Amino acid sequence: MKSVFISGSFNVIHPGHQRLLKFAKKCGDELIVGVLSDKIAGTAAHITEKLRLEGVKSNNYVDKAIIINSSVNEVLDELKPDIVIKGKEHEARFNIELETINNYGGSLIFSSGETLFSSADILHKEFQMTINKDILLPEGYCSRHKISNKRLKEIISQFNQIKVLTIGDLIVDEYIECQPLGMSQEDPSLVVTPIEREKFVGGAGIVSAHGAGLGASSFLYSISGDDELSKYAKDKLEKYGVNTTLLRDENRPTTLKKRYRSKNKTLLKVSKLYQGSINKNLSKLLVKNISEQMKDTNLIIFSDFNYGCLSNETIEEISLLAKKKNIILIADSQSSSQIGDVTKFKSMDLITPTEIEARISMKNNQDGLVVLTESLRKKSLSKNILLKLGTDGLLIHAYNSDEKKFETDRLGTFNKSPIDVAGAGDSMLVSCGLALASGANIFEAALIGSLAASIQVSRVGNTPLKSKEILKVIN
């Protein structure tokens, strides 16, 4: 294992330190930082050594931090790090450490780190930023369906009473923030350099994570490869509070989707995946695991990306078992780079296709939205349909049990300036499902789902929703 060493006073970790620490971490496997003690630092120490040490230890790039009470040379002679890094401003000066480093066979490198830190810093802010100050409840819609703020809060407060099982394709999303360098001189292609990478759990994984974040008792059942991405996803999901069962398929990798981004725009998407169906033994094991967990379950979510986890037979078996126990069933079958058919999910309480997915399933490019949705309802036998219309919002096609007829209504988009729309459908799916399981009608559930989606698209990458985020918007 290659060790890297940096030393200094570190009164406050400022952007220059961040660049240096980031560069140092990339140079080896373990980054050790020596913080000069109050005695050694003298007047250069503006706060106590204890607080300075805590500040360094809290930095994500640092593996180990120590207080230096003797000369730096003594520390280097004891630790013998493979690489010692100092700021670029020291390169033209006398460096007392050089002789010690040469004696034990180490290397001294001068660098102040990447000068492109600001773009990476912006990326980190995007990952954490939500914009909800402009989200307002639609008065007309709420009036038509007699929905009050108090009622919405009552529904959301019941989420922690729900046990939800999510079944479907696990995906790991990787975002690579890039700095554009210009156009290639050889051909008309864009040249970029990667600055920062960040991974997120996606697919059925983020649906289950949203469930846990919103307060429900959340279980995930999926298929993964026998690889490091599978371990990453399982560890991440368990940190989110998801009870995770991943059945290993040695014939496929864990699905990885990479997005190369620059300045809030996606430049390129690259996917590593296998779309073949899982074998019958894995399908049987999947159904067995789920059937054993159905006790006290209120909601089952099929999160289908058409990568082989959910065959028609698997869906049918799970659905029959769930209906015997009066468990609410909802489904989403995505068709973007792949082709799916949401009508393979029969007699669901709710399906949530996009307009394109509905037209693919019905082979219908001619009819209007209401006619299209009614045709889809008849074929799928679904009780309710939320037709996602992108920037045009949502078409709700719902069964009115009192009047024995179907009603249609619309909801517009609440977030007019989305940053990353990739997770909108997943957040809507689970929020609507939890609302239905908590006693909401479909119009109340659709409103809660739309609010959840508006929050999700205001940040980069899939991070689990929290009930308090939706409640904050309602207030």
Side-chain angles (χ1 to χ4, degrees), residues 286-311:
L286 183 64
V287 174
K288 180 176 181 294
N289 276 276
I290 293 165
S291 63
E292 291 173 351
Q293 192 56 252
M294 279 192 185
K295 184 180 179 182
D296 301 324
T297 294
N298 310 96
L299 171 68
I300 289 180
I301 301 175
F302 292 108
S303 179
D304 183 29
F305 286 75
N306 294 288
Y307 294 148
C309 180
L310 290 168
S311 66

Side-chain angles (χ1 to χ4, degrees), residues 59-295:
N59 190 281
N60 291 333
Y61 297 123
V62 178
D63 297 299
K64 182 180 179 182
I66 59 174
I67 291 290
I68 297 179
N69 277 311
S70 57
S71 72
V72 174
N73 275 334
E74 288 181 40
V75 175
L76 292 176
D77 198 44
E78 180 182 347
L79 296 177
K80 293 181 172 56
D82 298 286
I83 297 172
V84 177
I85 292 178
K86 298 185 72 174
K88 195 75 172 175
E89 68 274 14
H90 295 281
E91 189 169 14
R93 303 175 186 173
F94 172 72
N95 292 279
I96 195 170
E97 309 96 334
L98 185 57
E99 183 178 352
T100 302
I101 295 168
N102 288 337
N103 285 340
Y104 70 75
S107 300
L108 178 61
I109 296 177
F110 300 98
S111 175
S112 294
E114 293 287 343
T115 58
L116 301 175
F117 81 98
S118 57
S119 296
D121 188 50
I122 290 169
L123 178 68
H124 281 299
K125 288 180 181 177
E126 286 182 29
F127 288 146
Q128 300 172 9
M129 180 174 59
T130 58
I131 303 171
N132 54 35
K133 62 180 182 294
D134 296 326
I135 298 172
L136 299 174
L137 295 182
E139 292 183 11
Y141 180 90
C142 290
S143 176
R144 285 195 299 276
H145 301 291
K146 299 178 173 60
I147 301 173
S148 66
N149 289 28
K150 180 181 177 182
R151 173 57 180 157
L152 294 175
K153 292 175 185 177
E154 287 174 353
I155 295 166
I156 295 169
S157 70
Q158 296 299 308
F159 284 2
N160 60 9
Q161 304 297 314
I162 305 302
K163 178 180 176 182
V164 54
L165 310 186
T166 303
I167 310 153
D169 300 289
L170 173 69
I171 296 170
V172 174
D173 294 310
E174 184 176 11
Y175 286 70
I176 300 100
E177 181 70 7
C178 301
Q179 179 77 16
L181 300 180
M183 296 292 292
S184 171
Q185 298 301 312
E186 291 79 18
D187 55 63
S189 57
L190 181 66
V191 181
V192 301
T193 182
I195 300 171
E196 193 77 16
R197 296 170 182 265
E198 188 85 9
K199 288 192 183 75
F200 300 91
V201 175
I206 191 58
V207 173
S208 63
H210 284 319
L214 291 168
S217 177
S218 185
F219 294 76
L220 171 67
Y221 294 88
S222 187
I223 307 297
S224 71
D226 187 9
D227 50 32
E228 285 299 313
L229 280 179
S230 174
K231 183 179 184 303
Y232 161 81
K234 187 174 178 65
D235 290 345
K236 196 76 170 177
L237 286 164
E238 289 178 350
K239 286 180 181 177
Y240 288 149
V242 178
N243 299 279
T244 307
T245 300
L246 299 180
L247 303 182
R248 301 294 177 87
D249 185 347
E250 296 180 355
N251 297 319
R252 71 177 65 224
T254 302
T255 300
L256 174 65
K257 292 185 176 181
K258 294 185 178 184
R259 291 178 175 87
Y260 292 84
R261 291 172 59 86
S262 180
K263 299 180 181 179
N264 289 343
K265 302 294 183 182
T266 297
L267 306 175
L268 176 68
K269 298 179 182 180
V270 179
S271 297
K272 180 183 178 183
L273 53 86
Y274 177 72
Q275 291 184 265
S277 298
I278 60 175
N279 61 51
K280 290 186 177 181
N281 289 335
L282 274 177
S283 293
K284 289 179 180 178
L285 184 58
L286 183 64
V287 174
K288 180 176 181 294
N289 276 276
I290 293 165
S291 63
E292 291 173 351
Q293 192 56 252
M294 279 192 185
K295 184 180 179 182

Side-chain angles (χ1 to χ4, degrees), residues 305-340:
F305 286 75
N306 294 288
Y307 294 148
C309 180
L310 290 168
S311 66
N312 291 358
E313 293 77 11
T314 300
I315 295 166
E316 185 176 352
E317 286 185 60
I318 294 171
S319 298
L320 287 173
L321 290 169
K323 286 170 187 174
K324 289 178 182 178
K325 298 180 181 294
N326 295 316
I327 297 171
I328 292 174
L329 290 167
I330 68 174
D332 188 43
S333 182
Q334 296 205 20
S335 300
S336 53
S337 56
Q338 70 281 20
I339 299 298

Side-chain angles (χ1 to χ4, degrees), residues 20-31:
L20 184 61
L21 292 170
K22 178 182 174 183
F23 171 79
K25 180 63 176 176
K26 290 180 177 179
C27 290
D29 304 301
E30 181 185 37
L31 175 56

